[in-house]
């Protein structure tokens, strides 16, 4: 080899060695800088995610799903969503897992994450084949207050609703305020598509206000009147009886009378006072009898009062 060519080769080799040395130095320096930089502490979402992974490895999917769910609520991370979807599938919650994989596929597709998009799509497609598709056609999708549930899951009203759920007995319910609800039950088969029509709702149902039977007001008022008179008569009777007993005792123990054994002997004036006391007691007895009569009459009036149907109107 000519000397000039050999010198050129040597120089080129030397330059390569120098460049390699510089590159290696840069890598080492960069590595040192990274190692010496601050390490970001794990967040609560990270901690819950790792706990979920641990439970999933142990086969405890109930606890794993609980951790993944809480982590996903804190940090809407795509990896957490995929792990949660896989966990829910392990628990047999096929519809929920399908929806999670489908959402994860859409999110990863928007971020151009091809591998995760393909993975999530394949898992959602596999789950879709195990579910029943319900196609609901709604005759009045814009009716105010319309609500629709499929297998207990609320769906947004639309002219055509497509939803998937676990096979078996699937109930579709549509409710519209002041109308009789529409409900039907179909039997779902894995991979099948079942159409359901929600027809036009019938006329509005007129709500009947609650009613009760009450005794006629006029008769009740008359009963209260009898009761008041009976009460007044009873009070008058008691007052007269107390007054008569007091007058009798005062007269019998007074100067006009003398007690001899069980008898009371009085002067003419004393006898007159005793007669007045007795008369007062008789009047009290009359009032007592009247009170009893009015009480009995009030009871008869109340129990025999005709009943009228009264509408209960709610008030604030």
């Amino acid at each position: 080899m000519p000397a000039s060519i050999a010198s050129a080769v040597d120089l080129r080799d030397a330059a390569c060695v120098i460049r390699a040395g510089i590159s290696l130095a840069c890598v080492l320096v960069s590595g040192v800088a990274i190692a010496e930089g601050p390490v970001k502490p794990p967040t609560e979402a990270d901690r819950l995610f790792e706990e979920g992974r641990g439970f999933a490895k142990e086969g405890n999917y109930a606890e794993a799903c609980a951790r993944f769910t809480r982590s996903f609520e804190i940090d809407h991370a795509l990896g957490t969503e995929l792990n949660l979807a896989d966990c829910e599938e392990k628990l047999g919650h096929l519809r929920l897992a399908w929806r999670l994989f489908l959402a994860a596929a859409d999110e990863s597709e928007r971020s151009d994450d091809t591998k995760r998009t393909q993975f999530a799509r394949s898992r959602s497609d596999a789950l879709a084949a195990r579910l029943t598709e319900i196609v609901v056609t709604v005759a009045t999708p814009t009716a105010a207050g319309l609500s629709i549930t499929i297998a207990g899951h609320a769906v947004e009203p639309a002219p055509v609703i497509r939803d998937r759920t676990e096979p078996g007995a699937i109930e579709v319910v549509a409710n519209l305020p002041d109308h009789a609800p529409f409900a039907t039950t179909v039997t779902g088969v894995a991979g099948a598509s079942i159409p359901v029509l929600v027809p036009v709702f019938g006329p509005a149902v007129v709500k009947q206000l609650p009613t009760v039977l009450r005794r006629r007001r006029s008769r009740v008022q008359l009963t209260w009147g009898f009761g008041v008179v009976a009460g007044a008569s009873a009070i008058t009777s008691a007052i007269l009886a107390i007054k008569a007993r007091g007058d009798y005792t005062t007269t019998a123990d007074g100067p006009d009378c003398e007690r001899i054994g069980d008898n009371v002997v009085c002067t003419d004036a004393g006898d007159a006072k005793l007669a007045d006391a007795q008369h007062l007691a008789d009047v009290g007895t009359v009032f007592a009898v009247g009170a009893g009569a009015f009480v009995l009459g009030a009871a008869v009036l109340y129990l025999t009062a005709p009943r009228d149907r009264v509408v209960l109107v709610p008030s604030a």
Side-chain angles (χ1 to χ4, degrees), residues 41-271:
T43 64
E44 178 68 9
D46 295 334
R47 184 186 65 80
L48 291 168
F49 176 79
E50 292 302 327
E51 288 183 2
R53 290 287 297 274
F55 280 118
K57 290 179 181 178
E58 297 172 0
N60 190 348
Y61 295 108
E63 291 294 335
C65 286
R67 298 304 193 282
F68 288 142
T69 299
R70 288 164 56 192
S71 177
F72 192 61
E73 290 172 352
I74 298 172
D75 182 10
H76 196 84
L78 183 59
T80 306
E81 188 171 26
L82 289 170
N83 278 272
L84 177 59
D86 180 75
C87 183
E88 294 292 354
E89 182 180 358
K90 293 293 195 304
L91 288 179
H93 304 156
L94 304 184
R95 181 182 183 274
L96 178 56
W98 168 71
R99 292 177 66 87
L100 288 169
F101 276 124
L102 202 61
D106 293 338
E107 292 176 18
S108 59
E109 189 173 32
R110 286 192 295 269
S111 60
D112 295 328
D113 191 338
T114 306
K115 288 186 177 181
R116 284 185 171 178
T117 301
Q118 292 176 349
F119 172 78
R121 291 282 181 211
S122 63
R123 294 292 295 272
S124 65
D125 292 343
L127 283 168
R130 300 169 61 188
L131 297 172
T132 301
E133 183 184 40
I134 303 295
V135 182
V136 181
T137 303
V138 184
T140 55
T142 59
L146 177 65
S147 62
I148 299 175
T149 60
I150 300 176
H153 305 290
V155 295
E156 190 70 22
V160 178
I161 303 170
R162 295 181 179 274
D163 192 33
R164 284 184 168 87
T165 188
E166 283 83 0
I170 303 171
E171 185 179 34
V172 179
V173 180
N175 285 290
L176 189 65
D178 300 329
H179 290 74
F182 166 82
T184 185
T185 301
V186 296
T187 302
V189 180
S193 180
I194 300 178
V196 174
L197 172 64
V198 176
V200 177
F201 284 84
V205 178
V206 179
K207 293 183 177 179
Q208 298 291 337
L209 293 175
T211 60
V212 295
L213 291 176
R214 289 181 177 174
R215 289 179 171 83
R216 187 164 298 172
R217 184 181 295 274
S218 59
R219 184 66 68 86
V220 173
Q221 291 174 344
L222 183 59
T223 301
W224 275 107
F226 269 64
V228 170
V229 174
S233 298
I235 293 172
T236 302
S237 172
I239 293 173
L240 292 176
I242 293 172
K243 181 68 169 59
R245 180 177 292 278
D247 292 347
Y248 183 88
T249 301
T250 301
T251 301
D253 295 335
D256 295 327
C257 297
E258 181 181 0
R259 291 182 180 274
I260 301 175
D262 294 332
N263 299 319
V264 179
V265 179
C266 303
T267 62
D268 292 341
D271 288 337

Side-chain angles (χ1 to χ4, degrees), residues 49 120 158 202 259 295-297 312:
F49 176 79
R259 291 182 180 274
V295 168
L296 180 60
L312 297 179

Side-chain angles (χ1 to χ4, degrees), residues 13-33:
D13 292 342
C16 291
V17 171
I18 292 171
R19 284 198 299 271
I22 292 172
S23 300
L24 178 60
C26 291
V27 170
L28 292 175
V29 171
S30 300
V32 171

Side-chain angles (χ1 to χ4, degrees), residues 33-41:
I34 293 171
E36 291 179 352
V39 178
K40 183 180 178 182

